[in-house]
């Protein structure tokens, strides 16, 4: 081996960034390996961070000491809080990013991280010994030794780009695919499958007729993602909205015979919740229009991202369909839309720690696990980095629970249910979403990050000060009378919001509490009853999650289990009874049988 590291992270996308940062901050000698150093942090598709449930995950990543929240706060050019007409459990921050600025800041940030070396190369082979990873071989010929490796390869493994009948090998447009690593994984007994995603066209900003589109400004006062920031300093700009129409839909329907998704050229499954425009036209035939968001890719570029019309149609058809959309009649195309299908690893082959069940010390994070989205990748990357570091240090692994974080919901879903399409996080996937609000991620997770070693001293001090202010404000609201009633009771019973506090009692805000302190305090008071109910439900569920299943459990010998249950349990090998109960196809009767078996193991001779 030319060089030896504790941990090597393969891939410089959002999962790789968080994995490498977490491992290095925890004191491990870490290398980040990327095909091209200048594309680390690149936003391959939409230049945006956050959104429904995704925004909550970014806050969780930040609360645990990750980088994504701080990066978008510096590079965000339009911030919006989504779902404000609904309850705070589903409010979600989102920010449009300056694509080039985000990647540049990510690269500059990583360059300053202690214990981290960045290497430009492509992995060709995994080197193992006695079922454990000991190194990686690169296409340049060098071999790098390691105690653990984290693969965050995105769409690069045997990636194929589709534009009409044209097929191009590549991980994304203009960059080569990583083919040999797929062959190496298969040679080591790891099963691979295929998924598909896509990206829309990019247009020249000065070729759009803005008189025919609707302006969409951001929030008047943008709220930052990171708990380390009180405000957003970056210049803010508008996005715009337009719509497809029946002419657009006819053009697409008339050319489905040239669409790779419908000719059989692409055989893999695409994302259900972010479908291509061809899929929308076929699946939602009754809809006479679909929204198109025109989103600038930066302050110093004229590229506009056409969110909502991802496709893989031939270039001449793309010309025609774009010209049929109001405001885009004379648009110039900088880059045509394309689809890409790629290898992924069915995630039931992982432990809940994101470690491979086949190769000890090998971890996976991001799209390689069948997920979609920068945020899902980043959350997995952080947890893979933490667990790889803890394994090397001889510490117990850490697994976030479903009531602790959306990241916990994500990983639990992946390892217990698997995927048959790109997995995207939604608030509806979380049964405890009132506990998982965007405003309280630090309360849930920063103490854990401090324990793990990912939360720095300055973040910890800031968190403690915020907690002190919340306690102080909560005490004031629960002890102060106004018009014969305590302020906290009026907040609950009269439907008041936090702005009302400043109007009726100016001294409530006399200490210049930041918005987040006021908002979290008010939510805790207003929803205290509902929160208590959810916590009781969590307590009940936690009982079976604490019952551990031995690693050597032989499910084939449990004759009273159904055949399907034996097979599913043997394949996934859940760590706890609670995790077993969440496996697709496992029934309450199966759990009862399993509980009896565990009791017998604990008390030998029991009949």
């Amino acid at each position: 081996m030319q060089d030896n590291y504790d941990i090597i992270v393969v891939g410089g996308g959002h999962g790789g960034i968080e994995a490498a940062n977490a491992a290095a901050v925890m004191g491990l000698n870490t290398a980040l390996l990327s095909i091209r150093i200048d594309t680390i942090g690149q936003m391959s598709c939409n230049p945006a961070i956050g959104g429904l449930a995704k925004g909550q995950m970014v806050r969780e990543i930040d609360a645990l000491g990750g980088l994504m929240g701080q990066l978008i706060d510096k590079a965000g050019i339009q911030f919006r809080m989504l779902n404000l007409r609904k309850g705070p459990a589903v409010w979600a921050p989102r920010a449009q990013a300056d694509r080039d600025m985000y990647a540049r800041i990510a690269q500059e940030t990583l360059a300053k991280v202690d214990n981290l070396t960045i290497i430009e190369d492509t992995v060709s082979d995994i080197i193992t010994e006695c079922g454990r990873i000991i190194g990686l071989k690169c296409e340049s010929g060098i071999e790098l030794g390691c105690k653990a490796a984290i693969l965050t390869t995105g769409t690069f493994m045997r990636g194929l780009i589709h534009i009409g009948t044209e097929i191009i090998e590549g991980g994304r447009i203009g960059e080569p695919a990583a083919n040999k690593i797929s062959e190496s994984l298969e040679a080591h007994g790891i099963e691979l499958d295929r998924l598909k995603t896509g990206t829309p066209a990019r247009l020249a900003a000065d070729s759009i007729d803005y008189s025919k589109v609707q302006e969409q400004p951001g929030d008047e006062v943008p709220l930052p993602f990171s708990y380390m920031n009180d405000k957003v300093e970056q210049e803010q700009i508008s996005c715009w909205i337009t719509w497809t129409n029946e002419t657009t839909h006819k053009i697409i329907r008339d050319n489905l015979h040239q669409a790779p998704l419908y000719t059989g050229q692409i055989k893999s499954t695409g994302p259900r919740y972010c479908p291509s425009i061809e899929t929308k036209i076929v699946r939602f035939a009754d809809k006479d229009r679909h929204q198109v968001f025109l989103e600038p890719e930066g302050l110093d570029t004229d590229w506009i991202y056409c969110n909502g019309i991802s496709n893989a149609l031939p270039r001449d058809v793309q010309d025609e369909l774009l010209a049929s959309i109001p405001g885009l009649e004379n648009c110039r195309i900088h880059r045509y839309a394309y689809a890409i299908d790629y290898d992924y690893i069915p995630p039931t082959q992982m432990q809940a720690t994101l470690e491979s069940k086949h190769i000890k010390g090998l971890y996976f994070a991001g799209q390689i696990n069948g997920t979609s989205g920068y945020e899902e990748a980043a959350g997995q990357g952080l947890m893979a980095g933490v667990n790889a570091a803890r394994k090397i240090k001889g510490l117990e692994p850490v697994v976030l629970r479903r009531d602790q974080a959306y990241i916990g919901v994500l990983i639990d879903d992946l390892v217990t249910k698997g995927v048959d399409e790109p997995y995207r996080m939604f608030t509806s996937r979380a049964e405890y979403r009132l506990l998982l609000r965007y405003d309280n991620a630090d309360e849930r997770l920063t103490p854990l990050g401090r324990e793990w070693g990912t939360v720095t001293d300055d973040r910890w001090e800031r968190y403690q000060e915020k907690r002190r202010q919340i306690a102080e404000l909560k005490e004031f609201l629960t002890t102060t009378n106004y018009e014969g009633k305590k302020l906290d009771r009026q907040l609950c019973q009269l439907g008041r919001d936090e702005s009302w506090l400043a109007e009726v009692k100016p001294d409530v805000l006399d200490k210049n509490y930041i918005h987040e302190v006021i908002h979290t305090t008010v939510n805790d008071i207003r929803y205290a009853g509902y929160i208590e109910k959810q916590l009781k439900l969590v307590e009940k569920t936690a009982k079976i999650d604490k019952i551990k299943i031995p690693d050597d459990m032989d499910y084939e010998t449990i004759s009273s289990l159904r055949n399907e249950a034996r097979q599913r349990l043997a394949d996934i090998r859940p760590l706890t009874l609670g995790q077993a109960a969440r496996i697709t196809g496992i029934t309450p009767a199966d759990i009862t049988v399993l509980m009896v078996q565990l009791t017998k193991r604990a008390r030998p001779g029991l009949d």
Side-chain angles (χ1 to χ4, degrees):
M1 303 290 180
Q2 277 88 332
D3 290 293
N4 284 282
Y5 298 92
D6 292 321
I7 296 172
I8 299 177
V9 178
V10 180
H14 306 277
I17 287 171
E18 299 296 349
N21 179 69
V25 168
M26 291 174 71
L28 280 297
N29 182 20
T30 307
L32 173 61
L33 200 64
S34 178
I35 292 176
R36 282 175 50 186
I37 290 177
D38 65 350
T39 59
I40 289 174
Q42 182 169 316
M43 293 175 154
S44 307
C45 195
N46 190 5
I49 294 293
L52 304 182
K54 293 169 173 281
Q56 284 91 328
M57 278 196 292
V58 179
R59 297 280 279 179
E60 292 172 353
I61 291 162
D62 184 75
L64 287 167
L67 297 178
M68 181 172 270
Q70 295 187 65
L71 298 179
I72 188 59
D73 282 352
K74 293 177 181 177
I77 54 178
Q78 191 203 69
F79 287 72
R80 293 180 65 220
M81 187 66 70
L82 307 181
N83 262 358
L84 287 177
R85 294 183 180 180
K86 299 182 179 180
V90 293
W91 290 9
R94 181 188 187 274
Q96 192 71 16
D98 184 309
R99 181 192 298 275
D100 293 340
M101 188 187 303
Y102 188 97
R104 184 179 71 250
I105 293 170
Q107 292 163 28
E108 291 171 353
T109 301
L110 289 178
K112 297 175 184 176
V113 175
D114 291 338
N115 308 313
L116 180 60
T117 302
I118 299 174
I119 302 169
E120 188 170 271
D121 213 328
T122 302
V123 173
S124 59
D125 200 6
I126 294 167
I127 306 170
T128 63
E129 187 176 275
C130 301
R132 177 181 297 277
I133 191 162
I134 61 167
L136 299 172
K137 185 175 182 179
C138 298
E139 290 190 0
S140 66
I142 68 167
E143 292 184 359
L144 304 172
C146 63
K147 299 173 184 175
I150 305 169
L151 299 188
T152 68
T153 51
T155 60
F156 279 74
M157 293 200 324
R158 289 198 287 226
L160 294 175
I161 293 168
H162 302 262
I163 306 175
T165 58
E166 185 179 359
I167 302 176
I168 308 164
E169 280 197 11
R172 58 188 166 212
I173 203 76
E175 294 186 58
N179 296 329
K180 293 181 179 179
I181 191 168
S182 288
E183 298 167 6
S184 178
L185 289 169
E186 287 177 322
H188 283 87
I190 294 175
E191 175 194 348
L192 303 182
D193 208 335
R194 303 283 284 178
L195 287 175
K196 169 262 173 191
T197 189
T199 190
R202 274 66 158 181
L203 309 180
D206 64 359
S207 68
I208 296 170
D209 184 347
Y210 295 95
S211 68
K212 296 182 180 180
V213 298
Q214 175 186 337
E215 185 175 8
Q216 185 185 47
D219 292 341
E220 187 174 338
V221 179
L223 297 176
F225 274 88
S226 176
Y227 288 98
M228 297 300 289
N229 298 324
D230 293 332
K231 61 182 180 179
V232 172
E233 304 283 357
Q234 188 56 256
E235 175 189 349
Q236 301 295 288
I237 62 176
S238 289
C239 297
W240 297 270
I241 301 173
T242 185
W243 301 82
T244 63
N245 50 60
E246 186 50 45
T247 300
T248 315
H249 301 181
K250 185 177 186 305
I251 292 167
I252 295 167
R253 283 194 296 268
D254 289 348
N255 288 280
L256 286 176
H257 65 284
Q258 300 189 74
L261 284 172
Y262 292 94
T263 63
Q265 180 174 309
I266 295 177
K267 297 180 175 62
S268 50
T269 306
R272 180 189 310 183
Y273 301 106
C274 187
S276 66
I277 190 63
E278 309 100 305
T279 303
K280 290 179 186 177
I281 301 309
V282 172
R283 188 182 298 167
F284 309 110
D286 58 319
K287 301 290 185 184
D288 57 7
R289 66 175 191 167
H290 294 281
Q291 213 165 31
V292 181
F293 295 91
L294 304 175
E295 301 172 332
E297 293 208 343
L299 298 174
D300 300 320
T301 178
D302 71 336
W303 283 42
I304 300 289
Y305 180 92
C306 297
N307 193 348
I309 50 173
S310 168
N311 68 88
L313 292 161
R315 290 178 174 83
D316 59 332
V317 179
Q318 292 191 44
D319 289 334
E320 191 178 357
L321 80 86
L322 284 166
S324 72
I325 298 173
L328 309 185
E329 293 89 347
N330 299 302
C331 68
R332 297 194 315 278
I333 301 174
H334 281 316
R335 178 181 292 165
Y336 284 93
Y338 65 86
I340 180 168
D341 67 321
Y342 53 93
D343 286 346
Y344 82 102
I345 295 169
T348 53
Q349 298 174 92
M350 296 185 303
Q351 308 282 359
T353 60
L354 301 180
E355 185 179 17
S356 168
K357 294 175 181 176
H358 295 82
I359 302 173
K360 293 179 181 178
L362 179 61
Y363 295 76
F364 307 115
Q367 283 179 285
I368 192 173
N369 290 337
T371 61
S372 68
Y374 309 140
E375 304 83 2
E376 289 89 342
Q380 293 171 72
L382 188 149
M383 294 306 298
V386 168
N387 274 314
R390 290 179 69 86
K391 188 180 184 77
I392 291 170
K393 290 182 174 185
L395 301 173
E396 286 293 311
V398 289
V399 176
L400 292 174
R401 302 189 310 269
R402 297 180 73 90
D403 62 284
Q404 284 182 308
Y406 275 97
I407 298 171
V409 175
L410 163 68
I411 295 174
D412 187 65
D413 280 352
L414 291 176
V415 301
T416 59
K417 296 178 173 63
V419 301
D420 54 13
E421 61 186 39
Y423 180 104
R424 180 177 180 175
M425 179 53 71
F426 290 102
T427 54
S428 59
R429 295 191 190 272
E431 55 270 57
Y432 308 114
R433 55 183 176 272
L434 190 55
L435 303 179
L436 307 182
R437 305 192 310 266
Y438 88 93
D439 61 285
N440 67 0
D442 57 340
E443 295 180 56
R444 294 183 273 121
L445 300 174
T446 296
L448 288 177
R450 184 65 172 176
E451 180 186 330
W452 300 347
T454 55
V455 168
T456 56
D457 290 344
D458 55 344
R459 181 180 290 275
W460 183 243
E461 290 170 9
R462 189 177 175 91
Y463 165 75
Q464 289 182 309
E465 174 59 20
K466 180 188 168 186
R467 292 303 308 146
R468 187 195 66 76
Q469 291 185 21
I470 288 174
E472 180 181 85
L473 182 55
K474 192 173 291 187
E475 171 71 15
F476 181 86
L477 295 176
T478 54
T479 58
T480 301
N481 283 316
Y482 177 73
E483 294 182 350
K485 288 185 179 179
K486 294 286 191 298
L487 285 172
D488 64 325
R489 290 179 61 83
Q490 297 207 34
L491 279 169
C492 296
Q493 295 175 356
L494 304 180
R496 309 289 194 182
D497 61 24
E498 55 248 42
S499 63
W500 169 77
L501 294 173
E503 296 171 12
V504 301
K505 200 73 175 174
D507 57 326
V508 170
L509 305 179
D510 65 352
K511 295 190 178 180
N512 295 318
Y513 293 124
I514 62 172
H515 166 83
E516 204 157 80
V517 168
I518 302 166
H519 186 68
T520 300
T521 305
V522 168
N523 281 338
D524 285 347
I525 290 172
R526 177 171 288 140
Y527 298 101
Y530 298 102
I531 291 170
E532 185 179 353
K533 287 180 181 178
Q534 288 212 339
L535 289 173
K536 287 181 179 178
L537 184 60
V538 168
E539 189 177 348
K540 288 182 181 179
T541 307
K543 289 179 180 178
I544 65 168
D545 258 322
K546 290 178 181 177
I547 302 174
K548 293 186 177 181
I549 300 175
D551 292 338
D552 62 349
M553 176 69 80
D554 186 355
Y555 297 102
E556 293 301 322
T557 64
I558 308 176
S559 58
S560 46
L561 274 177
R562 296 174 302 116
N563 287 335
E564 180 190 356
R566 282 201 295 270
Q567 183 177 344
R568 293 292 291 167
L569 290 165
D571 287 345
I572 294 176
R573 304 209 66 81
L575 300 177
T576 69
L577 199 61
Q579 193 182 80
R582 294 189 291 273
I583 296 173
T584 301
I586 299 299
T587 67
D590 298 326
I591 296 301
T592 300
V593 170
L594 197 53
M595 188 177 291
V596 169
Q597 187 67 22
L598 290 170
T599 302
K600 288 180 178 180
R601 283 180 63 115
R603 298 167 63 185
L606 183 66
D607 202 343

